């Protein structure tokens, strides 16, 4: 018979019936309190930083955020978010906002809001997004700032699209920042990549047209189902004494549930070219008849990645180092996950670090870009 | 706004008081059957029209996932209650083994050999079925000849995927047992149900991460998605015949693409 006690003579469980009852009662009480609080909190809003829509086409809107104390030396910064999920993650709440942090550091900000694709958009291609929409947004921003090259910040898939743009139009970009951006889509630790390689994306897109946001939400949840669909809600018990904390939790839930459909053709191309062929790494991605060569990204590059990112593993981002042509390539490792890089308390210093990086290169980036004219 | 006679606090207090009494009686050996801990149905009735709001939706998830946590308490409680009723000093190894046997029993295939993932993976499976329904595809579990070969293939794919999830759950349980044994051997101990639950989540995610990257799992998951998509053509053909609008196959209306396959 197995010794029921360990080296200290203690049993493996120190939970007697009384302790179990007490813990269950407390859990039930806090669960009940949490449900009541959630019901009574009402609605929560995201993306509350004041902004102005300055351009729109199709489902896209380009927003302008003006800092209270602008630094005129930096030039404008255009944020390109992923097509997946909503850019409200960059402005989740007042104390968890990449945009507010940038504004507080004096950076003038523009943001591409892709909107919600519908059946009319199902034939949009990656070329339409990169050489169409992004190019026109860059032109809009540049025209407001003396037609000079601008700073570009790409987030996740938006970073991949931004890299493509910077490679094809280096003369338009002064400095490039990528955040949690996949470049090598076939690193061994990339579960999402493994799943994507098993997908018949032609069947998906030919059957469905646009890819439903609900489906993508399910896939992301399926990457860590126990934490994301189970433990996360059990842990909510720990917050029920703090309505503000519960409100913050609700904001995250609202963002997660706000998932646009993906334009079918662009989705097909992205999965095939990036996940299945790893075309960025191999230099075989073509957009608009031109090959995307990351060697043509010669402006200063800051690559911010998250060390515990299960969606874009660090190596998937760090692969950029050996691919870009820039001789001013920097990395910043954020200790956290794919979402924590925007909403955790540790993330609050990232906007200032980005602005400092830009400020240190004012002048140098413009010079580099001009050499490609 | 709640009225004084039907406030959430009133409901919660009544529920908690009844729970306290039932658990005390059961753990003290006064009753033989475990008390139910699931307030979902009662809470859903009370939430009523509030169910559509995000807060109420998250509250429902809190209730449901809290239920998973409490089912762990039930399994452990059943073992402790059996010990109490035997009148003997607590044999922790027996409690340990009995708890896991009870949990393992809930993961076994049913009499028809069908797997039914539980807990978080059961939730994942249910969410998949909601996604299929939201997409508007005729997700069916009928599996009858009348449903057609594509529908039957989808049912088969669903079951294969469910089987993979159930395998992961059994592996997770074994990992948890090993982790507890390792902790025990090094002098550690679990001092709360929450600690046990968190350890189970860690073990489950480790089991999932290992299996989810295997070719067999990838194939099962992909097959499920593909089978769902193959249900589409019959639906699309019906829509094409009934309307003259653009569809996923072609932006051209039906009249301009007669003769297309």
């Amino acid at each position: 018979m197995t010794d029921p006690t360990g080296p200290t003579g203690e049993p493996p469980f120190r939970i007697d019936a009384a302790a179990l009852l007490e813990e269950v009662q407390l859990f039930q009480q806090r669960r009940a309190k949490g449900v009541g609080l959630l019901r009574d909190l009402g609605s929560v809003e995201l993306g509350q930083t004041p902004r102005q829509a300055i351009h729109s086409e199709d489902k896209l809107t380009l927003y302008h955020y003006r800092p209270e104390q602008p630094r005129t030396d930096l030039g404008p910064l255009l944020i390109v978010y992923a097509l997946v999920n909503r850019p409200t993650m960059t402005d989740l709440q007042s104390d968890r906002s990449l945009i507010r942090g940038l504004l507080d550091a004096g950076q003038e900000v523009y943001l591409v809001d892709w909107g919600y694709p519908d059946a009319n958009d199902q034939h949009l291609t990656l070329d339409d997004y990169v050489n169409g929409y992004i190019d026109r947004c860059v032109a809009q921003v540049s025209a407001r700032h003396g037609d000079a090259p601008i700073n570009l910040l790409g987030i996740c898939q938006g970073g991949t699209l931004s890299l493509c743009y910077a490679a094809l139009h280096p003369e338009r970009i002064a400095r490039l920042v990528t955040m949690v951006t996949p470049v090598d889509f076939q690193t061994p630790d990339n579960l999402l990549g493994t799943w994507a390689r098993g997908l018949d994306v032609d069947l998906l897109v030919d059957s469905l047209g646009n890819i439903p946001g609900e489906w993508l939400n399910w896939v992301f949840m399926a990457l860590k189902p126990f934490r994301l669909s189970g433990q996360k809600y059990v842990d909510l018990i720990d917050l029920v004494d703090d309505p503000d904390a519960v409100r913050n939790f609700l904001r995250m839930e609202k963002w997660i549930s706000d998932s646009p459909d993906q334009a079918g053709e662009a989705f097909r191309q992205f999965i095939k070219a990036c996940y299945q062929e790893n075309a960025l790494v191999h230099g075989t991605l073509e957009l608009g008849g031109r090959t995307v060569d990351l060697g043509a990204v010669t402006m200063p590059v800051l690559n911010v990645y998250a060390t515990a990112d299960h969606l874009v593993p660090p190596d998937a981002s760090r692969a950029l180092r050996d691919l870009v042509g820039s001789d001013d390539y920097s990395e910043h490792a954020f200790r956290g996950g794919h979402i924590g890089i925007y909403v955790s308390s540790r993330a609050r210093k990232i906007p200032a670090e980005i602005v400092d990086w830009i400020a240190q290169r004012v002048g140098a980036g413009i010079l580099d870009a001009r050499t490609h004219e | 706004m709640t009225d004084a006679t039907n406030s959430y606090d009133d409901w919660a207090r009544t529920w908690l008081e009844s729970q306290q009494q039932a658990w005390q009686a059961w753990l003290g050996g006064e009753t033989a059957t475990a008390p139910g801990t699931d307030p979902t149905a009662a809470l859903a009735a009370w939430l009523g029209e509030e169910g559509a709001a995000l807060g109420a939706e998250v509250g429902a998830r809190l209730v449901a996932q809290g239920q998973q946590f409490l089912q762990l308490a039930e399994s452990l409680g059943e073992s402790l209650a059996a010990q109490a009723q035997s009148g003997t000093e607590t044999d922790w190894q027996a409690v340990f083994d009995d708890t896991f046997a009870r949990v393992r029993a809930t993961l076994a295939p049913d009499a028809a050999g069908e797997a039914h993932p539980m807990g978080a993976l059961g939730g994942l499976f249910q969410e998949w079925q909601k996604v299929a329904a939201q997409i508007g595809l005729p997700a069916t579990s009928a599996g009858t000849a009348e449903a057609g070969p594509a529908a039957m293939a989808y049912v088969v794919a669903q079951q294969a995927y469910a089987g993979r999830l159930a395998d992961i759950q059994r592996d997770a349980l074994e990992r948890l047992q090993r982790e507890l044994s390792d902790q025990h051997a090094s002098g550690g101990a679990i001092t709360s149900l929450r600690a046990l639950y968190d350890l189970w989540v860690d073990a489950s995610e480790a089991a999932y991460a290992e299996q989810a990257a295997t070719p067999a799992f990838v194939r099962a998951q992909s097959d499920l998605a593909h089978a769902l998509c193959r249900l589409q053509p019959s639906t699309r053909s019906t829509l094409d015949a009934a309307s003259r609008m653009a569809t996923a196959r072609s932006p051209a209306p039906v009249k301009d693409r007669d003769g297309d396959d």
Side-chain angles (χ1 to χ4, degrees), chain B residues 96-145:
Chain B
F96 190 88
D97 293 340
D98 189 55
T99 300
F100 281 103
R102 291 177 188 273
V103 175
R104 196 175 294 112
T106 65
L107 303 178
D110 62 19
E114 290 193 356
H116 296 281
M118 306 290 287
L121 292 189
L124 181 68
F125 191 64
Q126 285 166 12
E127 285 299 317
W128 166 263
Q129 291 173 318
K130 286 182 195 173
V131 167
Q134 281 169 345
I135 291 173
L137 292 171
T140 174
S141 59
T144 62

Side-chain angles (χ1 to χ4, degrees), chain A residues 5-7 12 14-15 23 25 28 31-32 195 198 200 207 214 218 222 226-227 229 231 233 235 238 253, chain B residues 2 8 19-20 39 61-63 65 92 124 134 184-185 190 193-194 198 202 205 208 212 221-222 226 232:
Chain A
T5 64
R14 290 183 212 154
I15 315 173
E23 190 173 0
Q25 279 184 308
Q28 299 248 47
R31 181 170 70 163
W195 287 356
D200 182 347
S207 302
E214 296 91 343
W218 181 86
F226 296 93
R227 293 207 211 288
S229 68
Q231 189 182 45
Y233 296 101
D235 287 350
D238 299 330
E253 290 294 291
Chain B
T2 58
Y8 177 79
Q19 281 284 291
Q20 182 176 13
R61 288 186 206 142
L62 170 59
V63 168
Q65 295 310 316
W92 285 106
L124 181 68
Q134 281 169 345
H184 182 202
I190 294 293
L193 185 67
R194 187 73 177 275
D198 288 343
D202 288 345
E205 285 292 2
Y208 186 85
Q221 187 166 267
S222 299
H226 300 157
Q232 259 291 56

Side-chain angles (χ1 to χ4, degrees), chain B residues 182-249:
Chain B
D182 290 346
Q183 279 199 13
H184 182 202
S186 61
I190 294 293
T191 56
S192 70
L193 185 67
R194 187 73 177 275
L196 179 63
Y197 172 81
D198 288 343
L199 198 63
W200 191 358
V201 170
D202 288 345
S204 299
E205 285 292 2
Y208 186 85
E210 187 177 289
Q211 295 219 22
T214 61
F217 184 93
V218 173
R219 190 162 46 250
Q221 187 166 267
S222 299
D223 285 350
L224 181 63
H226 300 157
L228 185 66
C229 288
R230 291 191 184 101
L231 286 172
Q232 259 291 56
S234 59
T235 308
R236 284 285 178 188
S237 296
T238 303
L239 286 175
D240 279 356
S243 78
R244 306 187 72 74
M245 297 178 67
T247 69
R249 286 197 297 125

Side-chain angles (χ1 to χ4, degrees), chain A residues 176-309:
Chain A
L176 176 65
V177 180
T178 52
M179 294 185 74
V180 290
T181 291
V183 176
D184 184 346
F185 288 76
Q186 296 187 355
T187 54
D189 53 355
N190 191 336
L191 182 58
L192 188 59
T194 301
W195 287 356
R197 289 196 293 283
L199 207 57
D200 182 347
V201 68
D202 286 331
L203 174 62
L204 246 70
V205 175
D206 290 346
S207 302
L208 301 177
N210 290 343
I211 302 303
E214 296 91 343
W215 191 320
L216 293 173
N217 267 356
W218 181 86
V219 170
F220 295 137
M221 185 175 68
L223 289 171
K224 281 188 179 292
F226 296 93
R227 293 207 211 288
L228 298 179
S229 68
Q231 189 182 45
K232 178 175 72 168
Y233 296 101
V234 173
D235 287 350
L236 184 52
I237 295 293
D238 299 330
L239 305 180
V240 300
D241 293 326
D242 184 349
D244 283 340
V246 176
R247 207 172 272 115
N248 295 345
F249 184 95
L250 272 185
R251 287 192 185 92
M252 277 298 302
E253 290 294 291
K254 185 170 185 175
W255 175 80
I256 288 168
S257 65
D258 186 10
S259 192
D261 294 349
Q262 300 297 296
E265 200 53 43
F267 181 85
R268 187 202 313 265
Q269 291 176 349
F270 193 81
I271 296 297
K272 279 192 171 180
C274 294
Y275 278 102
Q276 295 181 348
E277 298 165 9
N278 218 5
L280 263 187
V281 167
H282 298 309
T284 55
L285 176 60
E286 284 202 4
L287 296 178
R290 296 174 59 197
T291 300
V292 176
D293 174 15
L294 291 181
V297 176
T298 53
M299 73 288 301
V301 175
L302 173 63
N303 189 12
V304 184
Y305 64 91
T307 59
D309 194 335

